[in-house]
Amino acid sequence: LKSQAKDGQVPDGAMAAALAPFSALVLGEASLRIAVQKDRSLRCALTADGPSESATIIRGNLDVAETELEDLRRRHEAQAQLCHSASDAAACRKLVGDIGEQIECAEERVKVYQSILESLDKLK
């Protein structure tokens, strides 16, 4: 943008083009809209998208989290089986423990998404 600035002012078109990727960031139930005013300053305003649009996004996130959780559980079980014949049993048990911690985090993510969906369903 500096290369396009003239007398310290950035042309409206250049500013809008630079901000285009950020013009509709989803933040839960709201979107951040960035608008360029005539005086070339930025103004941010939150606008509600409604529960159904947000629920669709959260359902997608929940699906991904559930898939990751299933994958972690499979990895945990497979790694635990390998520890029986591992040459470095301590390192293997450490890896199994690390995967176990990842499972706990994934379970929490799933619970959070489920809770958000329940709250959004109440808004309908």
Side-chain angles (χ1 to χ4, degrees):
L1 290 177
K2 284 185 179 180
S3 64
Q4 297 177 17
K6 188 174 190 179
D7 300 325
Q9 297 292 321
V10 178
D12 285 330
M15 182 69 78
L19 295 174
F22 307 103
S23 64
L25 299 172
V26 176
L27 301 172
E29 290 185 55
S31 292
L32 181 63
R33 308 261 188 248
I34 301 176
V36 178
Q37 295 177 330
K38 289 186 183 205
D39 65 354
R40 296 181 181 91
S41 65
L42 298 179
R43 178 178 56 87
C44 295
L46 290 175
T47 57
D49 283 338
S52 63
E53 185 177 337
S54 296
T56 301
I57 294 167
I58 298 301
R59 273 190 204 90
N61 292 348
L62 175 60
D63 290 343
V64 169
E66 288 173 335
T67 300
E68 288 174 356
L69 179 57
E70 291 170 11
D71 290 343
L72 285 168
R73 286 178 175 157
R74 278 192 290 275
R75 282 182 47 211
H76 185 267
E77 182 62 31
Q79 189 63 44
Q81 293 297 321
L82 292 174
C83 287
H84 297 297
S85 59
S87 59
D88 189 352
C92 190
R93 284 192 303 271
K94 167 82 168 92
L95 182 56
V96 169
D98 290 347
I99 296 171
E101 289 176 9
Q102 292 174 358
I103 288 172
E104 290 174 12
C105 290
E107 288 171 339
E108 285 301 312
R109 261 193 316 275
V110 167
K111 288 178 187 176
V112 166
Y113 288 132
Q114 289 170 337
S115 176
I116 292 170
L117 284 174
E118 289 172 11
S119 296
L120 290 173
D121 284 343
K122 290 177 185 175
L123 294 176
K124 290 182 181 178

